[in-house]
Coordinates of all heavy atoms in Angstrom, one line a residue:
R1 N 0.9 -1.2 0.0 CA 0.0 0.0 0.0 C 0.9 1.2 0.0 O 0.5 2.3 -0.6 CB -0.9 -0.1 1.2 CG -2.0 1.0 1.2 CD -2.9 0.8 2.4 NE -4.2 1.4 2.0 CZ -5.2 1.3 2.8 NH1 -5.2 0.7 3.9 NH2 -6.4 1.8 2.4
R2 N 2.0 1.2 0.7 CA 2.9 2.3 0.8 C 3.5 2.6 -0.6 O 3.7 3.7 -1.0 CB 3.9 2.1 1.8 CG 3.5 2.4 3.2 CD 4.7 2.2 4.1 NE 4.2 1.3 5.1 CZ 5.0 0.7 6.0 NH1 6.3 1.0 6.1 NH2 4.5 -0.1 6.9
V3 N 3.9 1.5 -1.2 CA 4.5 1.6 -2.6 C 3.5 2.1 -3.7 O 3.9 3.0 -4.4 CB 5.1 0.2 -2.9 CG1 5.7 0.3 -4.4 CG2 6.2 -0.2 -1.9
L4 N 2.3 1.5 -3.7 CA 1.4 1.9 -4.8 C 0.6 3.0 -4.5 O 0.0 3.6 -5.5 CB 0.5 0.6 -5.0 CG 1.2 -0.7 -5.4 CD1 0.2 -1.8 -5.5 CD2 1.9 -0.5 -6.8
G5 N 0.4 3.4 -3.3 CA -0.6 4.4 -2.9 C -2.0 3.9 -2.8 O -2.3 2.8 -3.2
A6 N -2.8 4.6 -2.0 CA -4.1 4.1 -1.6 C -5.1 3.9 -2.9 O -5.8 2.9 -2.9 CB -4.8 5.1 -0.7
R7 N -5.0 4.8 -3.8 CA -5.8 4.7 -4.9 C -5.5 3.5 -5.8 O -6.4 2.7 -6.2 CB -5.8 6.0 -5.8 CG -6.8 6.0 -6.8 CD -6.9 7.4 -7.5 NE -7.9 7.5 -8.5 CZ -8.4 8.5 -9.0 NH1 -7.7 9.7 -8.7 NH2 -9.3 8.5 -9.9
L8 N -4.3 3.3 -6.2 CA -3.8 2.2 -7.0 C -4.0 0.9 -6.3 O -4.4 -0.1 -6.9 CB -2.4 2.4 -7.4 CG -1.9 1.4 -8.4 CD1 -2.7 1.4 -9.7 CD2 -0.4 1.8 -8.9
W9 N -3.7 0.9 -5.0 CA -3.9 -0.3 -4.1 C -5.4 -0.8 -4.2 O -5.7 -1.9 -4.4 CB -3.4 -0.1 -2.8 CG -3.6 -1.2 -1.8 CD1 -4.5 -1.3 -0.8 CD2 -2.9 -2.4 -1.7 NE1 -4.4 -2.5 -0.2 CE2 -3.4 -3.2 -0.7 CE3 -1.8 -2.9 -2.5 CZ2 -2.9 -4.4 -0.4 CZ3 -1.3 -4.2 -2.2 CH2 -1.9 -4.9 -1.2
G10 N -6.2 0.2 -4.0 CA -7.7 -0.1 -4.0 C -8.1 -0.7 -5.3 O -8.9 -1.7 -5.4
G11 N -7.6 -0.1 -6.4 CA -7.9 -0.6 -7.8 C -7.4 -2.1 -8.0 O -8.0 -2.9 -8.6
L12 N -6.2 -2.3 -7.5 CA -5.6 -3.6 -7.7 C -6.4 -4.7 -6.9 O -6.6 -5.8 -7.4 CB -4.2 -3.6 -7.1 CG -3.4 -4.9 -7.2 CD1 -3.2 -5.4 -8.7 CD2 -2.1 -4.8 -6.5
L13 N -6.8 -4.3 -5.7 CA -7.7 -5.2 -4.9 C -9.0 -5.5 -5.6 O -9.4 -6.7 -5.6 CB -7.9 -4.7 -3.5 CG -6.8 -4.8 -2.5 CD1 -7.1 -4.2 -1.2 CD2 -6.3 -6.2 -2.3
R14 N -9.6 -4.5 -6.1 CA -10.9 -4.7 -6.8 C -10.7 -5.6 -8.0 O -11.6 -6.4 -8.3 CB -11.5 -3.4 -7.2 CG -12.1 -2.5 -6.1 CD -12.8 -1.4 -6.6 NE -13.0 -0.4 -5.7 CZ -13.8 -0.5 -4.7 NH1 -14.5 -1.5 -4.5 NH2 -13.9 0.5 -3.7
A15 N -9.6 -5.5 -8.7 CA -9.4 -6.2 -9.9 C -9.0 -7.7 -9.6 O -9.1 -8.5 -10.6 CB -8.3 -5.6 -10.8
T16 N -8.6 -7.9 -8.4 CA -8.1 -9.3 -8.1 C -9.0 -9.9 -7.0 O -10.1 -10.3 -7.3 CB -6.7 -9.3 -7.7 OG1 -6.5 -8.4 -6.5 CG2 -5.8 -8.8 -8.8
F17 N -8.5 -10.0 -5.8 CA -9.2 -10.7 -4.7 C -10.6 -10.1 -4.4 O -11.6 -10.9 -4.4 CB -8.4 -10.6 -3.5 CG -8.9 -11.3 -2.3 CD1 -8.8 -12.7 -2.2 CD2 -9.6 -10.6 -1.3 CE1 -9.4 -13.3 -1.1 CE2 -10.1 -11.3 -0.3 CZ -10.1 -12.6 -0.1
Y18 N -10.7 -8.9 -4.2 CA -12.0 -8.3 -3.8 C -13.0 -8.5 -5.0 O -14.2 -8.9 -4.7 CB -11.8 -6.7 -3.6 CG -13.0 -6.0 -3.2 CD1 -13.3 -5.9 -1.8 CD2 -13.8 -5.4 -4.1 CE1 -14.4 -5.2 -1.4 CE2 -14.9 -4.6 -3.7 CZ -15.2 -4.5 -2.3 OH -16.3 -3.9 -1.9
G19 N -12.6 -8.3 -6.3 CA -13.5 -8.4 -7.3 C -14.0 -9.8 -7.5 O -15.1 -10.1 -8.0
Q20 N -13.2 -10.8 -7.1 CA -13.6 -12.2 -7.2 C -14.6 -12.6 -6.2 O -15.5 -13.4 -6.5 CB -12.3 -13.1 -7.0 CG -12.5 -14.5 -7.1 CD -12.8 -15.0 -8.6 OE1 -12.4 -14.4 -9.5 NE2 -13.6 -16.1 -8.6
F21 N -14.6 -12.1 -5.0 CA -15.4 -12.6 -3.9 C -16.5 -11.6 -3.5 O -17.4 -12.0 -2.8 CB -14.6 -12.9 -2.7 CG -13.6 -14.1 -3.0 CD1 -12.3 -13.9 -3.2 CD2 -14.2 -15.4 -3.1 CE1 -11.5 -14.9 -3.5 CE2 -13.3 -16.5 -3.3 CZ -12.0 -16.2 -3.5
V22 N -16.5 -10.3 -3.9 CA -17.5 -9.4 -3.5 C -18.3 -9.0 -4.6 O -17.8 -8.6 -5.7 CB -16.8 -8.1 -2.9 CG1 -17.8 -7.1 -2.5 CG2 -15.9 -8.5 -1.7
G23 N -19.6 -9.1 -4.5 CA -20.6 -8.9 -5.6 C -20.8 -7.4 -5.8 O -21.3 -7.0 -6.9
G24 N -20.5 -6.5 -4.9 CA -20.7 -5.1 -5.1 C -20.7 -4.4 -3.8 O -20.8 -5.0 -2.7
E25 N -20.7 -3.1 -3.9 CA -20.8 -2.2 -2.7 C -22.2 -1.7 -2.4 O -22.4 -1.3 -1.2 CB -19.8 -1.0 -2.8 CG -18.4 -1.5 -2.9 CD -17.4 -0.3 -2.9 OE1 -17.8 0.8 -2.6 OE2 -16.3 -0.5 -3.3
T26 N -23.0 -1.7 -3.3 CA -24.4 -1.3 -3.1 C -25.4 -2.4 -3.5 O -25.0 -3.3 -4.2 CB -24.7 -0.1 -4.0 OG1 -24.7 -0.5 -5.4 CG2 -23.7 1.1 -3.8
P27 N -26.6 -2.3 -3.0 CA -27.6 -3.4 -3.4 C -27.8 -3.5 -4.9 O -27.9 -4.6 -5.4 CB -28.9 -2.8 -2.7 CG -28.4 -2.1 -1.5 CD -27.2 -1.4 -2.0
G28 N -27.7 -2.3 -5.6 CA -27.9 -2.4 -7.1 C -26.7 -3.2 -7.7 O -27.0 -3.9 -8.7
E29 N -25.5 -2.9 -7.2 CA -24.3 -3.7 -7.8 C -24.4 -5.2 -7.5 O -24.1 -6.0 -8.3 CB -23.0 -3.1 -7.2 CG -22.7 -1.7 -7.7 CD -21.5 -1.1 -7.0 OE1 -20.9 -1.8 -6.1 OE2 -21.1 0.0 -7.4
V30 N -24.9 -5.5 -6.3 CA -25.1 -6.9 -6.0 C -26.1 -7.6 -6.9 O -25.9 -8.7 -7.4 CB -25.3 -7.1 -4.5 CG1 -25.7 -8.5 -4.2 CG2 -24.2 -6.6 -3.6
M31 N -27.3 -6.9 -7.1 CA -28.3 -7.4 -7.9 C -27.8 -7.6 -9.3 O -28.1 -8.6 -10.0 CB -29.5 -6.6 -7.9 CG -30.2 -6.6 -6.5 SD -30.8 -8.2 -6.0 CE -32.1 -8.5 -7.3
A32 N -27.0 -6.6 -9.8 CA -26.5 -6.8 -11.2 C -25.5 -8.0 -11.3 O -25.6 -8.7 -12.3 CB -25.8 -5.5 -11.6
A33 N -24.7 -8.2 -10.3 CA -23.8 -9.3 -10.3 C -24.6 -10.6 -10.3 O -24.2 -11.6 -11.0 CB -22.8 -9.2 -9.1
A34 N -25.6 -10.7 -9.5 CA -26.5 -11.9 -9.4 C -27.2 -12.1 -10.7 O -27.2 -13.4 -11.1 CB -27.5 -11.7 -8.3
E35 N -27.6 -11.1 -11.4 CA -28.3 -11.3 -12.7 C -27.3 -11.8 -13.7 O -27.7 -12.7 -14.6 CB -28.9 -10.0 -13.2 CG -30.1 -9.6 -12.4 CD -31.2 -10.7 -12.4 OE1 -31.4 -11.3 -13.5 OE2 -31.8 -10.9 -11.3
R36 N -26.1 -11.4 -13.7 CA -25.0 -11.9 -14.6 C -24.8 -13.3 -14.4 O -24.6 -14.1 -15.3 CB -23.7 -11.0 -14.5 CG -23.8 -9.7 -15.2 CD -22.4 -9.0 -15.2 NE -21.7 -8.9 -14.0 CZ -21.8 -7.9 -13.1 NH1 -22.7 -6.9 -13.4 NH2 -21.1 -7.9 -12.0
L37 N -24.7 -13.7 -13.1 CA -24.5 -15.1 -12.8 C -25.7 -16.0 -13.3 O -25.5 -17.1 -13.8 CB -24.3 -15.3 -11.3 CG -23.0 -14.8 -10.8 CD1 -22.9 -14.8 -9.2 CD2 -21.8 -15.6 -11.3
R38 N -26.9 -15.5 -13.0 CA -28.1 -16.2 -13.5 C -28.1 -16.4 -15.0 O -28.6 -17.4 -15.5 CB -29.3 -15.6 -13.0 CG -29.6 -15.8 -11.5 CD -30.9 -15.3 -11.1 NE -31.1 -15.1 -9.6 CZ -31.0 -14.0 -9.0 NH1 -30.9 -12.8 -9.7 NH2 -31.0 -13.9 -7.7
A39 N -27.7 -15.4 -15.7 CA -27.6 -15.4 -17.1 C -26.8 -16.5 -17.7 O -27.0 -17.0 -18.8 CB -27.2 -14.0 -17.7
V40 N -25.8 -16.9 -17.0 CA -24.9 -18.0 -17.5 C -25.2 -19.3 -16.8 O -24.4 -20.3 -16.9 CB -23.4 -17.7 -17.3 CG1 -23.1 -16.5 -18.2 CG2 -23.0 -17.4 -15.9
G41 N -26.4 -19.4 -16.1 CA -26.8 -20.6 -15.5 C -26.3 -20.9 -14.1 O -26.4 -22.0 -13.6
L42 N -25.8 -19.9 -13.4 CA -25.3 -20.1 -12.1 C -26.3 -19.6 -11.1 O -26.9 -18.5 -11.3 CB -23.9 -19.5 -11.9 CG -22.8 -20.0 -12.7 CD1 -21.5 -19.2 -12.6 CD2 -22.5 -21.5 -12.4
R43 N -26.4 -20.1 -9.9 CA -27.3 -19.6 -8.8 C -26.4 -18.9 -7.8 O -25.6 -19.6 -7.1 CB -28.1 -20.8 -8.3 CG -29.1 -21.3 -9.2 CD -30.0 -22.3 -8.7 NE -29.8 -22.7 -7.3 CZ -30.3 -23.8 -6.8 NH1 -31.1 -24.6 -7.4 NH2 -30.1 -24.0 -5.5
P44 N -26.5 -17.7 -7.6 CA -25.7 -16.9 -6.7 C -26.1 -17.3 -5.3 O -27.2 -17.6 -4.9 CB -25.9 -15.5 -7.0 CG -27.2 -15.4 -7.6 CD -27.4 -16.7 -8.3
M45 N -25.1 -17.3 -4.3 CA -25.3 -17.5 -2.9 C -24.7 -16.2 -2.3 O -23.5 -15.9 -2.4 CB -24.6 -18.7 -2.4 CG -24.8 -18.9 -0.9 SD -23.9 -20.3 -0.3 CE -22.3 -19.6 -0.1
L46 N -25.5 -15.6 -1.5 CA -25.0 -14.4 -0.7 C -24.7 -14.7 0.7 O -25.5 -15.3 1.3 CB -26.2 -13.3 -0.8 CG -26.5 -12.8 -2.2 CD1 -27.6 -11.7 -2.0 CD2 -25.3 -12.2 -2.8
A47 N -23.6 -14.3 1.1 CA -23.2 -14.5 2.5 C -22.9 -13.1 3.1 O -21.9 -12.5 2.8 CB -21.9 -15.3 2.6
L48 N -23.9 -12.6 3.9 CA -23.7 -11.3 4.5 C -22.8 -11.3 5.7 O -23.0 -12.1 6.6 CB -25.1 -10.7 4.8 CG -26.1 -10.7 3.6 CD1 -27.5 -10.3 4.1 CD2 -25.6 -9.7 2.6
P49 N -21.8 -10.4 5.7 CA -20.9 -10.4 6.9 C -21.5 -9.7 8.0 O -22.4 -8.8 7.9 CB -19.7 -9.6 6.3 CG -20.3 -8.7 5.4 CD -21.4 -9.5 4.7
T50 N -21.3 -10.2 9.2 CA -21.7 -9.5 10.4 C -20.4 -9.3 11.3 O -20.1 -10.2 12.1 CB -22.7 -10.4 11.2 OG1 -22.2 -11.7 11.4 CG2 -24.0 -10.6 10.4
E51 N -19.9 -8.1 11.1 CA -18.6 -7.9 11.8 C -18.9 -6.8 12.9 O -19.8 -5.9 12.8 CB -17.6 -7.3 10.8 CG -17.3 -8.2 9.7 CD -16.4 -7.6 8.6 OE1 -16.2 -6.3 8.7 OE2 -16.1 -8.2 7.7
E52 N -18.2 -7.0 14.0 CA -18.4 -6.0 15.1 C -17.0 -5.9 15.8 O -16.3 -6.9 16.0 CB -19.4 -6.6 16.1 CG -19.7 -5.6 17.2 CD -20.9 -6.2 18.0 OE1 -21.7 -6.9 17.4 OE2 -20.9 -6.0 19.2
D53 N -16.5 -4.7 16.1 CA -15.3 -4.5 16.7 C -15.4 -5.0 18.2 O -16.4 -4.9 18.9 CB -15.0 -3.0 16.8 CG -14.5 -2.5 15.5 OD1 -14.1 -3.3 14.6 OD2 -14.7 -1.3 15.3
V54 N -14.3 -5.7 18.6 CA -14.3 -6.2 20.0 C -14.3 -5.1 20.9 O -13.5 -4.1 20.7 CB -13.0 -7.2 20.1 CG1 -12.9 -7.6 21.5 CG2 -13.0 -8.3 19.1
G55 N -15.1 -5.2 21.9 CA -15.1 -4.1 23.0 C -16.1 -3.0 22.7 O -16.3 -2.1 23.4
Q56 N -16.9 -3.2 21.5 CA -17.8 -2.1 21.2 C -19.2 -2.8 21.1 O -19.3 -3.9 20.6 CB -17.6 -1.5 19.9 CG -16.3 -0.6 19.9 CD -16.2 0.2 18.6 OE1 -16.9 -0.1 17.7 NE2 -15.3 1.1 18.6
D57 N -20.2 -2.1 21.6 CA -21.5 -2.6 21.5 C -22.1 -2.1 20.1 O -21.3 -1.4 19.3 CB -22.4 -2.2 22.6 CG -22.7 -0.7 22.6 OD1 -22.3 0.0 21.7 OD2 -23.3 -0.2 23.7
K58 N -23.3 -2.4 19.7 CA -23.8 -2.1 18.4 C -23.9 -0.6 18.1 O -24.0 -0.2 17.1 CB -25.2 -2.9 18.2 CG -24.9 -4.3 18.2 CD -26.2 -5.0 17.9 CE -25.9 -6.5 18.1 NZ -26.6 -7.4 17.3
D59 N -23.9 0.2 19.2 CA -24.0 1.6 19.0 C -22.7 2.3 18.9 O -22.5 3.5 18.8 CB -24.8 2.3 20.2 CG -26.3 1.8 20.2 OD1 -26.8 1.6 19.1 OD2 -26.8 1.6 21.3
G60 N -21.6 1.5 19.0 CA -20.3 2.0 18.9 C -19.7 2.4 20.2 O -18.6 3.0 20.3
Y61 N -20.4 2.2 21.3 CA -19.9 2.6 22.6 C -18.8 1.6 23.1 O -19.1 0.4 23.1 CB -21.1 2.6 23.6 CG -20.6 2.8 25.0 CD1 -20.3 4.1 25.4 CD2 -20.6 1.9 26.0 CE1 -19.9 4.4 26.8 CE2 -20.2 2.1 27.3 CZ -19.9 3.3 27.7 OH -19.5 3.6 28.9
V62 N -17.8 2.1 23.5 CA -16.7 1.3 24.0 C -16.9 1.2 25.5 O -16.6 2.3 26.3 CB -15.3 1.7 23.6 CG1 -14.2 0.9 24.3 CG2 -15.1 1.8 22.2
G63 N -17.3 0.1 26.1 CA -17.6 0.0 27.5 C -16.5 -0.7 28.3 O -15.6 -1.3 27.7
R64 N -16.6 -0.7 29.5 CA -15.7 -1.4 30.4 C -16.5 -2.2 31.4 O -17.6 -1.8 31.9 CB -14.9 -0.3 31.2 CG -13.8 -0.9 32.0 CD -13.1 0.2 32.6 NE -13.8 0.9 33.6 CZ -13.3 1.7 34.6 NH1 -12.0 1.9 34.7 NH2 -14.0 2.2 35.5
A65 N -16.1 -3.4 31.6 CA -16.8 -4.3 32.5 C -16.7 -3.7 34.0 O -15.7 -3.3 34.4 CB -16.3 -5.7 32.5
V66 N -17.8 -3.8 34.7 CA -17.9 -3.3 36.1 C -18.1 -4.5 36.9 O -18.9 -5.3 36.7 CB -19.0 -2.3 36.2 CG1 -19.2 -1.8 37.7 CG2 -18.9 -1.1 35.2
G67 N -17.3 -4.5 38.0 CA -17.6 -5.6 38.9 C -16.5 -6.3 39.5 O -15.5 -6.5 39.5

């Protein structure tokens, strides 16, 4: 990333790993990718990530255990 810069690094990831496994960044892009797969006889499977930072609740509050 330091050598290529953020913009070129992002483009490289999209053209390789990211582009292979991610259907899109918006619902419209995901639907378009799914339609392209269906057009060639493939059935897409969506796996939605559920990521959460350790130590943060769903509102982003970083709490501390009391007791």
Side-chain angles (χ1 to χ4, degrees):
R1 189 175 207 175
R2 282 184 234 166
V3 173
L4 298 176
R7 188 172 186 173
L8 187 55
W9 177 254
L12 179 65
L13 283 180
R14 286 187 198 289
T16 57
F17 181 79
Y18 183 87
Q20 179 71 27
F21 294 102
V22 177
E25 293 184 19
T26 66
E29 290 175 356
V30 173
M31 291 300 296
E35 289 301 320
R36 285 193 304 273
L37 290 171
R38 285 187 196 105
V40 295
L42 298 172
R43 292 183 0 192
M45 180 183 82
L46 298 179
L48 303 174
T50 55
E51 300 173 359
E52 189 172 325
D53 289 337
V54 175
Q56 291 186 351
D57 67 10
K58 293 183 187 213
D59 297 324
Y61 175 75
V62 178
R64 185 174 73 156
V66 177

